[in-house]
Amino acid sequence: MAERFILASASPRRRELLAQVGAEFEIIPAKGEEVITSSQPKEVVLELSAQKAAEVAGHLQREEAVILGADTVVVYEGQILGKPRDEEEAERMLSMLCGNTHSVYTGVTVIRIQDGQTKRYSFYEETKVTMYPMDREQILSYIRTGEPMDKAGAYGIQGKGALFVEKINGDYNNVVGLPVAKVFQVLESNRI
């Protein structure tokens, strides 16, 4: 029996990235409360990805499976920018990011349950993103599209937000929400 490949996330972007590379997977989103004990972005995304993967792994009855948990944050000048609570917060975030360079961190945890053994491997990826300057009307017009409201840092590089991205240094897919090439390098290596 082939092992199940489970995405422990409801993110449509992660689902699209995995489908784009032909992965066969099922979705069992983690639903537990996220607990953060660090203020360091790389530690935060590693903690949250591990919590998601572990929660879903804990529900499996010793079935053979690979569980993938991931979490993405946007960081500007040491401040972690999650999803905006409202349009005012989205405007504040976008105003900070415009004309500047920020980092996008994605933490990934892969748990493999096989032959009664559980192995875990975690890593993070950082991508630098530089945005063009935007005036207030451009920001408000973008917010009115609704796109920023469910995205860390209040923009989607794979959508209309691409209009404001001047350049990136690193993995584009990491900014979307999953460094998919690195995930498959890990899965195909002997690390897990």
Side-chain angles (χ1 to χ4, degrees):
M1 179 173 147
E3 59 189 5
R4 297 166 65 188
F5 183 33
I6 300 169
L7 174 61
S9 169
S11 164
R13 287 154 294 283
R14 291 190 184 107
R15 182 178 35 218
E16 288 166 8
L17 287 168
L18 288 172
Q20 175 183 308
V21 297
E24 292 185 24
F25 61 98
E26 55 188 288
I27 299 166
I28 303 177
K31 296 180 178 137
E33 183 178 341
E34 296 180 343
V35 179
I36 300 170
T37 63
S38 176
S39 61
Q40 296 300 311
K42 65 183 179 185
E43 297 300 325
V44 168
V45 293
L46 288 171
E47 274 186 310
L48 294 175
S49 71
Q51 289 171 25
K52 292 174 182 181
E55 178 189 322
V56 171
H59 295 302
L60 300 177
Q61 300 297 319
R62 299 179 60 86
E63 292 178 55
E64 301 217 340
V66 173
I67 301 98
L68 174 66
D71 195 80
T72 301
V73 297
V74 171
V75 179
Y76 178 65
E77 292 187 343
Q79 183 179 356
I80 295 174
L81 307 177
K83 296 175 183 176
R85 287 185 298 272
D86 53 32
E87 291 184 358
E88 184 177 295
E89 188 173 39
E91 180 183 358
R92 185 182 61 78
M93 287 181 184
L94 289 166
S95 296
M96 279 193 300
L97 298 179
C98 292
N100 294 306
T101 299
H102 63 275
S103 291
V104 178
Y105 289 87
T106 299
V108 176
T109 297
V110 180
I111 296 176
R112 173 171 267 140
I113 304 168
Q114 188 174 39
D115 300 326
Q117 302 290 325
T118 301
K119 293 181 186 175
R120 179 180 129 174
Y121 184 80
S122 295
F123 68 90
Y124 75 92
E125 187 74 24
E126 178 185 7
T127 302
K128 301 273 189 188
V129 180
T130 303
M131 298 186 88
Y132 285 109
M134 299 182 337
D135 62 33
R136 186 164 191 262
E137 186 47 46
Q138 287 174 305
I139 291 170
L140 293 176
S141 178
Y142 178 52
I143 291 170
R144 284 192 292 272
T145 70
E147 184 177 274
M149 302 315 296
D150 70 337
K151 313 242 180 348
Y155 76 96
I157 195 170
Q158 73 287 359
K160 294 173 183 68
L163 293 172
F164 310 114
V165 176
E166 180 179 352
K167 64 183 175 182
I168 68 167
N169 183 3
D171 184 344
Y172 167 85
N173 289 326
N174 184 55
V175 183
V176 177
L178 188 66
V180 72
K182 189 166 182 180
V183 167
F184 281 90
Q185 291 297 311
V186 166
L187 291 173
E188 293 183 6
S189 72
N190 289 326
R191 284 180 257 185
I192 184 114

